[in-house]
Amino acid sequence: MSEAESRPPLPPFTRESAIEKVRLAEDGWNSRNAQKVALAYTLDTEWRNRAEFVTNRQEAEAFLSRKWKKELDYRLIKELWAFAENRIAVRYAYEWHDDSGNWFRSYGNENWEFDENGLMAKRFACINDLPIAESERKYHWPLGRRPDDHPGLSELGL
């Protein structure tokens, strides 16, 4: 089985493997590489993201490409909320700005369901955007993966 067909850790999840899966997802999204990130999803993945619905990997890649063209200087932190068998629930917050320089912190929750190969088959997201001043930003690492010593959501009071 190729890397594109399997994404460890695999279900059923333990607390440790669920935390690892969440961090791997965070790292992927922080790469802002839509083509690479889309490989973590099944060919027939189903998403609900705000009012948009995605029904396959190709649509997921297109969605992510559009997202990161609009949400500039995107930085994300995810945190495990709950897990069972092949499902994980996370809460997250990310910071970004639009092309006019307006900053936002977007908060949300996601429910994930994985197939037996560790690919995400379902992703249901609820998101709220809070306008913030640039001085209110809490995420200041260089674009890309969040450094291991950077505080998470709970430590930042988010």
Side-chain angles (χ1 to χ4, degrees), residues 58-91:
Q58 185 177 6
E59 289 179 9
E61 183 178 337
F63 168 88
L64 293 168
S65 292
R66 285 191 314 276
K67 173 184 181 62
W68 292 321
K69 284 180 183 160
K70 176 187 171 205
E71 296 176 353
L72 306 173
D73 289 324
Y74 175 96
R75 290 171 178 84
L76 165 73
I77 299 176
K78 291 183 182 283
E79 186 173 281
L80 177 68
W81 186 255
F83 70 95
E85 298 297 320
N86 68 332
R87 292 182 173 166
I88 295 176
V90 299
R91 64 187 200 94

mmCIF file of all heavy atoms in Angstrom, residues 58-91:
data_model
loop_
_atom_site.group_PDB
_atom_site.id
_atom_site.type_symbol
_atom_site.label_atom_id
_atom_site.label_comp_id
_atom_site.label_asym_id
_atom_site.label_seq_id
_atom_site.Cartn_x
_atom_site.Cartn_y
_atom_site.Cartn_z
ATOM 1 N N GLN A 58 -10.780 15.684 -5.247
ATOM 2 C CA GLN A 58 -10.509 16.760 -6.206
ATOM 3 C C GLN A 58 -11.175 18.065 -5.759
ATOM 4 O O GLN A 58 -10.568 19.133 -5.807
ATOM 5 C CB GLN A 58 -10.994 16.350 -7.600
ATOM 6 C CG GLN A 58 -10.657 17.344 -8.678
ATOM 7 C CD GLN A 58 -11.103 16.853 -10.057
ATOM 8 O OE1 GLN A 58 -11.754 15.832 -10.211
ATOM 9 N NE2 GLN A 58 -10.751 17.629 -11.062
ATOM 10 N N GLU A 59 -12.409 17.983 -5.299
ATOM 11 C CA GLU A 59 -13.093 19.176 -4.789
ATOM 12 C C GLU A 59 -12.421 19.687 -3.521
ATOM 13 O O GLU A 59 -12.363 20.900 -3.293
ATOM 14 C CB GLU A 59 -14.566 18.875 -4.518
ATOM 15 C CG GLU A 59 -15.391 18.690 -5.767
ATOM 16 C CD GLU A 59 -16.849 18.358 -5.471
ATOM 17 O OE1 GLU A 59 -17.277 18.428 -4.287
ATOM 18 O OE2 GLU A 59 -17.570 18.018 -6.424
ATOM 19 N N ALA A 60 -11.919 18.778 -2.677
ATOM 20 C CA ALA A 60 -11.214 19.188 -1.460
ATOM 21 C C ALA A 60 -9.965 19.985 -1.822
ATOM 22 O O ALA A 60 -9.693 21.040 -1.228
ATOM 23 C CB ALA A 60 -10.850 17.970 -0.619
ATOM 24 N N GLU A 61 -9.217 19.509 -2.805
ATOM 25 C CA GLU A 61 -8.013 20.226 -3.233
ATOM 26 C C GLU A 61 -8.362 21.611 -3.779
ATOM 27 O O GLU A 61 -7.705 22.608 -3.446
ATOM 28 C CB GLU A 61 -7.267 19.415 -4.293
ATOM 29 C CG GLU A 61 -5.976 20.066 -4.728
ATOM 30 C CD GLU A 61 -5.207 19.249 -5.753
ATOM 31 O OE1 GLU A 61 -5.393 18.019 -5.837
ATOM 32 O OE2 GLU A 61 -4.396 19.869 -6.472
ATOM 33 N N ALA A 62 -9.403 21.700 -4.591
ATOM 34 C CA ALA A 62 -9.827 22.993 -5.136
ATOM 35 C C ALA A 62 -10.274 23.927 -4.013
ATOM 36 O O ALA A 62 -9.947 25.126 -4.013
ATOM 37 C CB ALA A 62 -10.942 22.797 -6.157
ATOM 38 N N PHE A 63 -11.021 23.399 -3.048
ATOM 39 C CA PHE A 63 -11.463 24.182 -1.895
ATOM 40 C C PHE A 63 -10.264 24.765 -1.155
ATOM 41 O O PHE A 63 -10.213 25.959 -0.840
ATOM 42 C CB PHE A 63 -12.301 23.304 -0.951
ATOM 43 C CG PHE A 63 -12.554 23.941 0.377
ATOM 44 C CD1 PHE A 63 -13.651 24.763 0.568
ATOM 45 C CD2 PHE A 63 -11.686 23.734 1.441
ATOM 46 C CE1 PHE A 63 -13.875 25.367 1.800
ATOM 47 C CE2 PHE A 63 -11.903 24.341 2.668
ATOM 48 C CZ PHE A 63 -13.002 25.156 2.844
ATOM 49 N N LEU A 64 -9.273 23.915 -0.857
ATOM 50 C CA LEU A 64 -8.100 24.358 -0.105
ATOM 51 C C LEU A 64 -7.299 25.399 -0.889
ATOM 52 O O LEU A 64 -6.819 26.379 -0.310
ATOM 53 C CB LEU A 64 -7.223 23.155 0.251
ATOM 54 C CG LEU A 64 -7.848 22.182 1.251
ATOM 55 C CD1 LEU A 64 -7.047 20.890 1.314
ATOM 56 C CD2 LEU A 64 -8.002 22.811 2.622
ATOM 57 N N SER A 65 -7.176 25.218 -2.187
ATOM 58 C CA SER A 65 -6.470 26.212 -3.014
ATOM 59 C C SER A 65 -7.149 27.572 -2.932
ATOM 60 O O SER A 65 -6.484 28.604 -2.748
ATOM 61 C CB SER A 65 -6.417 25.745 -4.474
ATOM 62 O OG SER A 65 -5.596 24.612 -4.601
ATOM 63 N N ARG A 66 -8.485 27.581 -3.038
ATOM 64 C CA ARG A 66 -9.233 28.844 -2.926
ATOM 65 C C ARG A 66 -9.067 29.452 -1.543
ATOM 66 O O ARG A 66 -8.876 30.663 -1.396
ATOM 67 C CB ARG A 66 -10.725 28.611 -3.199
ATOM 68 C CG ARG A 66 -11.091 28.406 -4.630
ATOM 69 C CD ARG A 66 -12.601 28.437 -4.863
ATOM 70 N NE ARG A 66 -13.398 27.649 -3.926
ATOM 71 C CZ ARG A 66 -13.629 26.344 -4.033
ATOM 72 N NH1 ARG A 66 -13.120 25.658 -5.041
ATOM 73 N NH2 ARG A 66 -14.381 25.722 -3.147
ATOM 74 N N LYS A 67 -9.160 28.608 -0.524
ATOM 75 C CA LYS A 67 -9.060 29.059 0.866
ATOM 76 C C LYS A 67 -7.754 29.801 1.096
ATOM 77 O O LYS A 67 -7.745 30.914 1.627
ATOM 78 C CB LYS A 67 -9.166 27.844 1.797
ATOM 79 C CG LYS A 67 -8.922 28.137 3.261
ATOM 80 C CD LYS A 67 -8.957 26.842 4.062
ATOM 81 C CE LYS A 67 -8.745 27.078 5.540
ATOM 82 N NZ LYS A 67 -9.778 27.907 6.156
ATOM 83 N N TRP A 68 -6.644 29.204 0.699
ATOM 84 C CA TRP A 68 -5.350 29.788 1.018
ATOM 85 C C TRP A 68 -4.961 30.929 0.088
ATOM 86 O O TRP A 68 -4.024 31.661 0.374
ATOM 87 C CB TRP A 68 -4.292 28.692 1.099
ATOM 88 C CG TRP A 68 -4.553 27.802 2.295
ATOM 89 C CD1 TRP A 68 -4.986 28.189 3.529
ATOM 90 C CD2 TRP A 68 -4.432 26.385 2.360
ATOM 91 N NE1 TRP A 68 -5.134 27.111 4.358
ATOM 92 C CE2 TRP A 68 -4.798 25.979 3.667
ATOM 93 C CE3 TRP A 68 -4.050 25.408 1.448
ATOM 94 C CZ2 TRP A 68 -4.776 24.662 4.083
ATOM 95 C CZ3 TRP A 68 -4.032 24.090 1.856
ATOM 96 C CH2 TRP A 68 -4.396 23.719 3.161
ATOM 97 N N LYS A 69 -5.695 31.128 -0.981
ATOM 98 C CA LYS A 69 -5.510 32.343 -1.792
ATOM 99 C C LYS A 69 -6.214 33.523 -1.141
ATOM 100 O O LYS A 69 -5.813 34.669 -1.310
ATOM 101 C CB LYS A 69 -6.037 32.126 -3.208
ATOM 102 C CG LYS A 69 -5.101 31.291 -4.048
ATOM 103 C CD LYS A 69 -5.623 31.088 -5.441
ATOM 104 C CE LYS A 69 -4.670 30.174 -6.198
ATOM 105 N NZ LYS A 69 -5.274 29.553 -7.348
ATOM 106 N N LYS A 70 -7.281 33.237 -0.388
ATOM 107 C CA LYS A 70 -8.057 34.281 0.287
ATOM 108 C C LYS A 70 -7.528 34.556 1.694
ATOM 109 O O LYS A 70 -7.451 35.707 2.117
ATOM 110 C CB LYS A 70 -9.528 33.834 0.378
ATOM 111 C CG LYS A 70 -10.398 34.794 1.152
ATOM 112 C CD LYS A 70 -11.794 34.242 1.377
ATOM 113 C CE LYS A 70 -12.550 35.138 2.341
ATOM 114 N NZ LYS A 70 -13.601 34.456 3.051
ATOM 115 N N GLU A 71 -7.218 33.500 2.434
ATOM 116 C CA GLU A 71 -6.791 33.615 3.833
ATOM 117 C C GLU A 71 -5.264 33.665 3.869
ATOM 118 O O GLU A 71 -4.594 32.644 3.946
ATOM 119 C CB GLU A 71 -7.342 32.453 4.653
ATOM 120 C CG GLU A 71 -8.862 32.459 4.711
ATOM 121 C CD GLU A 71 -9.464 31.279 5.442
ATOM 122 O OE1 GLU A 71 -8.735 30.337 5.814
ATOM 123 O OE2 GLU A 71 -10.692 31.299 5.647
ATOM 124 N N LEU A 72 -4.727 34.887 3.825
ATOM 125 C CA LEU A 72 -3.292 35.104 3.700
ATOM 126 C C LEU A 72 -2.586 34.997 5.051
ATOM 127 O O LEU A 72 -3.168 35.294 6.095
ATOM 128 C CB LEU A 72 -3.048 36.482 3.080
ATOM 129 C CG LEU A 72 -3.776 36.729 1.753
ATOM 130 C CD1 LEU A 72 -3.610 38.168 1.300
ATOM 131 C CD2 LEU A 72 -3.312 35.738 0.684
ATOM 132 N N ASP A 73 -1.332 34.582 5.019
ATOM 133 C CA ASP A 73 -0.514 34.396 6.229
ATOM 134 C C ASP A 73 -1.210 33.495 7.252
ATOM 135 O O ASP A 73 -1.151 33.718 8.461
ATOM 136 C CB ASP A 73 -0.122 35.739 6.846
ATOM 137 C CG ASP A 73 0.899 36.478 6.004
ATOM 138 O OD1 ASP A 73 1.770 35.809 5.419
ATOM 139 O OD2 ASP A 73 0.809 37.713 5.918
ATOM 140 N N TYR A 74 -1.863 32.466 6.751
ATOM 141 C CA TYR A 74 -2.649 31.498 7.520
ATOM 142 C C TYR A 74 -1.755 30.720 8.476
ATOM 143 O O TYR A 74 -0.747 30.133 8.065
ATOM 144 C CB TYR A 74 -3.302 30.564 6.500
ATOM 145 C CG TYR A 74 -4.080 29.406 7.045
ATOM 146 C CD1 TYR A 74 -5.452 29.491 7.204
ATOM 147 C CD2 TYR A 74 -3.459 28.202 7.353
ATOM 148 C CE1 TYR A 74 -6.185 28.415 7.660
ATOM 149 C CE2 TYR A 74 -4.186 27.126 7.814
ATOM 150 C CZ TYR A 74 -5.536 27.235 7.962
ATOM 151 O OH TYR A 74 -6.256 26.173 8.424
ATOM 152 N N ARG A 75 -2.150 30.710 9.754
ATOM 153 C CA ARG A 75 -1.487 29.911 10.783
ATOM 154 C C ARG A 75 -2.576 29.284 11.645
ATOM 155 O O ARG A 75 -3.461 29.980 12.127
ATOM 156 C CB ARG A 75 -0.573 30.775 11.633
ATOM 157 C CG ARG A 75 0.671 31.270 10.907
ATOM 158 C CD ARG A 75 1.400 32.300 11.764
ATOM 159 N NE ARG A 75 2.607 32.781 11.151
ATOM 160 C CZ ARG A 75 2.661 33.761 10.250
ATOM 161 N NH1 ARG A 75 1.551 34.357 9.849
ATOM 162 N NH2 ARG A 75 3.809 34.148 9.751
ATOM 163 N N LEU A 76 -2.449 27.979 11.883
ATOM 164 C CA LEU A 76 -3.501 27.175 12.514
ATOM 165 C C LEU A 76 -2.975 26.401 13.710
ATOM 166 O O LEU A 76 -1.854 25.885 13.677
ATOM 167 C CB LEU A 76 -4.024 26.179 11.462
ATOM 168 C CG LEU A 76 -4.860 24.996 11.924
ATOM 169 C CD1 LEU A 76 -6.260 25.450 12.331
ATOM 170 C CD2 LEU A 76 -4.947 23.960 10.806
ATOM 171 N N ILE A 77 -3.811 26.303 14.749
ATOM 172 C CA ILE A 77 -3.554 25.389 15.861
ATOM 173 C C ILE A 77 -4.805 24.543 16.055
ATOM 174 O O ILE A 77 -5.921 25.074 16.133
ATOM 175 C CB ILE A 77 -3.229 26.134 17.176
ATOM 176 C CG1 ILE A 77 -1.969 26.988 17.020
ATOM 177 C CG2 ILE A 77 -3.053 25.131 18.324
ATOM 178 C CD1 ILE A 77 -1.631 27.834 18.250
ATOM 179 N N LYS A 78 -4.616 23.217 16.127
ATOM 180 C CA LYS A 78 -5.705 22.275 16.398
ATOM 181 C C LYS A 78 -5.442 21.606 17.742
ATOM 182 O O LYS A 78 -4.287 21.439 18.138
ATOM 183 C CB LYS A 78 -5.775 21.185 15.323
ATOM 184 C CG LYS A 78 -6.218 21.670 13.963
ATOM 185 C CD LYS A 78 -6.317 20.505 12.985
ATOM 186 C CE LYS A 78 -6.720 20.937 11.601
ATOM 187 N NZ LYS A 78 -8.133 21.239 11.473
ATOM 188 N N GLU A 79 -6.518 21.205 18.405
ATOM 189 C CA GLU A 79 -6.395 20.513 19.687
ATOM 190 C C GLU A 79 -7.433 19.400 19.752
ATOM 191 O O GLU A 79 -8.597 19.618 19.395
ATOM 192 C CB GLU A 79 -6.612 21.518 20.817
ATOM 193 C CG GLU A 79 -6.374 20.964 22.201
ATOM 194 C CD GLU A 79 -6.451 22.065 23.248
ATOM 195 O OE1 GLU A 79 -5.464 22.814 23.391
ATOM 196 O OE2 GLU A 79 -7.513 22.178 23.903
ATOM 197 N N LEU A 80 -6.997 18.242 20.205
ATOM 198 C CA LEU A 80 -7.913 17.118 20.377
ATOM 199 C C LEU A 80 -9.004 17.471 21.379
ATOM 200 O O LEU A 80 -8.726 18.019 22.445
ATOM 201 C CB LEU A 80 -7.146 15.882 20.878
ATOM 202 C CG LEU A 80 -7.983 14.645 21.176
ATOM 203 C CD1 LEU A 80 -8.578 14.062 19.902
ATOM 204 C CD2 LEU A 80 -7.143 13.607 21.904
ATOM 205 N N TRP A 81 -10.247 17.164 21.035
ATOM 206 C CA TRP A 81 -11.370 17.360 21.942
ATOM 207 C C TRP A 81 -11.860 16.009 22.449
ATOM 208 O O TRP A 81 -12.043 15.824 23.636
ATOM 209 C CB TRP A 81 -12.484 18.128 21.233
ATOM 210 C CG TRP A 81 -13.620 18.488 22.132
ATOM 211 C CD1 TRP A 81 -14.846 17.905 22.171
ATOM 212 C CD2 TRP A 81 -13.625 19.495 23.143
ATOM 213 N NE1 TRP A 81 -15.626 18.502 23.134
ATOM 214 C CE2 TRP A 81 -14.901 19.480 23.751
ATOM 215 C CE3 TRP A 81 -12.675 20.411 23.587
ATOM 216 C CZ2 TRP A 81 -15.236 20.346 24.779
ATOM 217 C CZ3 TRP A 81 -13.032 21.272 24.619
ATOM 218 C CH2 TRP A 81 -14.294 21.230 25.194
ATOM 219 N N ALA A 82 -12.069 15.055 21.521
ATOM 220 C CA ALA A 82 -12.553 13.721 21.896
ATOM 221 C C ALA A 82 -12.215 12.756 20.768
ATOM 222 O O ALA A 82 -11.939 13.161 19.639
ATOM 223 C CB ALA A 82 -14.064 13.750 22.127
ATOM 224 N N PHE A 83 -12.260 11.455 21.073
ATOM 225 C CA PHE A 83 -12.001 10.439 20.061
ATOM 226 C C PHE A 83 -12.686 9.134 20.466
ATOM 227 O O PHE A 83 -12.957 8.901 21.636
ATOM 228 C CB PHE A 83 -10.491 10.186 19.884
ATOM 229 C CG PHE A 83 -9.876 9.488 21.062
ATOM 230 C CD1 PHE A 83 -9.727 8.108 21.073
ATOM 231 C CD2 PHE A 83 -9.491 10.203 22.180
ATOM 232 C CE1 PHE A 83 -9.186 7.456 22.169
ATOM 233 C CE2 PHE A 83 -8.958 9.572 23.289
ATOM 234 C CZ PHE A 83 -8.800 8.187 23.278
ATOM 235 N N ALA A 84 -12.969 8.304 19.489
ATOM 236 C CA ALA A 84 -13.496 6.951 19.710
ATOM 237 C C ALA A 84 -13.347 6.174 18.416
ATOM 238 O O ALA A 84 -13.683 6.692 17.346
ATOM 239 C CB ALA A 84 -14.974 6.997 20.123
ATOM 240 N N GLU A 85 -12.823 4.976 18.507
ATOM 241 C CA GLU A 85 -12.698 4.084 17.344
ATOM 242 C C GLU A 85 -12.057 4.789 16.147
ATOM 243 O O GLU A 85 -10.875 5.023 16.142
ATOM 244 C CB GLU A 85 -14.067 3.493 16.974
ATOM 245 C CG GLU A 85 -14.691 2.639 18.075
ATOM 246 C CD GLU A 85 -13.895 1.413 18.429
ATOM 247 O OE1 GLU A 85 -13.357 0.763 17.508
ATOM 248 O OE2 GLU A 85 -13.800 1.104 19.624
ATOM 249 N N ASN A 86 -12.870 5.162 15.143
ATOM 250 C CA ASN A 86 -12.347 5.779 13.914
ATOM 251 C C ASN A 86 -12.759 7.246 13.782
ATOM 252 O O ASN A 86 -12.733 7.798 12.691
ATOM 253 C CB ASN A 86 -12.800 4.997 12.680
ATOM 254 C CG ASN A 86 -14.295 5.112 12.433
ATOM 255 O OD1 ASN A 86 -15.079 5.299 13.361
ATOM 256 N ND2 ASN A 86 -14.694 4.996 11.178
ATOM 257 N N ARG A 87 -13.133 7.864 14.893
ATOM 258 C CA ARG A 87 -13.579 9.261 14.862
ATOM 259 C C ARG A 87 -12.755 10.110 15.818
ATOM 260 O O ARG A 87 -12.356 9.660 16.892
ATOM 261 C CB ARG A 87 -15.051 9.359 15.246
ATOM 262 C CG ARG A 87 -15.946 8.743 14.198
ATOM 263 C CD ARG A 87 -17.387 8.878 14.565
ATOM 264 N NE ARG A 87 -18.217 8.413 13.455
ATOM 265 C CZ ARG A 87 -19.497 8.168 13.563
ATOM 266 N NH1 ARG A 87 -20.116 8.362 14.725
ATOM 267 N NH2 ARG A 87 -20.178 7.751 12.521
ATOM 268 N N ILE A 88 -12.559 11.371 15.393
ATOM 269 C CA ILE A 88 -11.850 12.351 16.212
ATOM 270 C C ILE A 88 -12.608 13.669 16.123
ATOM 271 O O ILE A 88 -13.046 14.064 15.036
ATOM 272 C CB ILE A 88 -10.396 12.545 15.723
ATOM 273 C CG1 ILE A 88 -9.581 11.255 15.905
ATOM 274 C CG2 ILE A 88 -9.722 13.709 16.451
ATOM 275 C CD1 ILE A 88 -8.158 11.331 15.364
ATOM 276 N N ALA A 89 -12.739 14.340 17.258
ATOM 277 C CA ALA A 89 -13.305 15.692 17.299
ATOM 278 C C ALA A 89 -12.188 16.633 17.747
ATOM 279 O O ALA A 89 -11.439 16.320 18.675
ATOM 280 C CB ALA A 89 -14.478 15.763 18.264
ATOM 281 N N VAL A 90 -12.073 17.759 17.051
ATOM 282 C CA VAL A 90 -11.054 18.742 17.390
ATOM 283 C C VAL A 90 -11.689 20.118 17.524
ATOM 284 O O VAL A 90 -12.763 20.379 16.997
ATOM 285 C CB VAL A 90 -9.933 18.817 16.327
ATOM 286 C CG1 VAL A 90 -9.210 17.506 16.196
ATOM 287 C CG2 VAL A 90 -10.443 19.292 14.988
ATOM 288 N N ARG A 91 -10.995 20.959 18.256
ATOM 289 C CA ARG A 91 -11.298 22.388 18.230
ATOM 290 C C ARG A 91 -10.054 23.060 17.691
ATOM 291 O O ARG A 91 -8.952 22.516 17.782
ATOM 292 C CB ARG A 91 -11.705 22.905 19.599
ATOM 293 C CG ARG A 91 -10.656 22.843 20.645
ATOM 294 C CD ARG A 91 -11.210 23.218 22.032
ATOM 295 N NE ARG A 91 -10.141 23.617 22.925
ATOM 296 C CZ ARG A 91 -9.746 24.865 23.112
ATOM 297 N NH1 ARG A 91 -10.343 25.860 22.510
ATOM 298 N NH2 ARG A 91 -8.756 25.131 23.937
#
